[in-house]
Amino acid sequence: VQLQASGGGLVQAGGSLRLSCAASGRTFSIYTKGWFRQVLGKEREFVAGISGISGKTHYADSVKDRFIISTESAKNTVFLQMNNLKPEDTAVYYCAGQPGELGSLSLRDGARYDYWGQGTQVTVSS
């Protein structure tokens, strides 16, 4: 499967963006899907994920109640709605996919994903 992320940009603090990650090649609906982000010079960190079969959603504490992960199976796409953005949300955001169900801990581990999108830059100005 190939993943294509889009939707990043420049936004003021308090604003919103919606990231999209379109999958091609295989049925994405049964994949566990995750969003991660990375700031230059820092480690990649988990943002949000949705389990492949159960559909359970999981969030990093730093984005809980502000970000929403969702999927649209017909379009083989996963979204990340980001609200009330803060300057500390500035990063390159990556989508990732892994066939099947990942548990709540595994889903937060980027090493558990085999498929990655190319990243999209999100910049939040203060």
Side-chain angles (χ1 to χ4, degrees):
V1 67
Q2 293 180 329
L3 305 180
Q4 180 74 35
S6 61
L10 173 64
V11 64
Q12 288 187 332
S16 298
L17 282 175
R18 188 173 83 154
L19 305 184
S20 301
C21 178
S24 62
R26 293 191 179 181
T27 303
F28 198 44
S29 60
I30 60 172
Y31 279 53
T32 290
K33 307 154 189 74
W35 285 97
F36 293 78
R37 66 188 182 188
Q38 189 169 22
V39 176
L40 189 64
K42 295 187 177 181
E43 291 188 357
R44 178 180 59 199
E45 66 172 353
F46 169 77
V47 176
I50 183 164
S51 297
I53 298 174
S54 69
K56 291 183 179 179
T57 57
H58 306 267
Y59 298 92
D61 288 343
S62 59
V63 307
K64 199 172 183 180
D65 298 328
R66 298 189 297 122
F67 290 11
I68 301 171
I69 187 171
S70 63
T71 62
E72 187 169 346
S73 297
K75 294 186 177 181
N76 256 11
T77 303
V78 58
F79 302 98
L80 184 68
Q81 177 67 42
M82 306 186 295
N83 301 318
N84 190 21
L85 282 159
K86 303 176 180 180
E88 52 263 42
D89 294 319
T90 295
V92 178
Y93 284 70
Y94 298 90
C95 58
Q98 180 64 26
E101 181 86 353
L102 291 179
S104 59
L105 292 180
S106 296
L107 175 147
R108 297 167 185 267
D109 181 0
R112 299 300 300 267
Y113 294 82
D114 288 335
Y115 302 96
W116 289 85
Q118 84 287 6
T120 184
Q121 175 71 46
V122 172
T123 303
V124 184
S125 63
S126 58

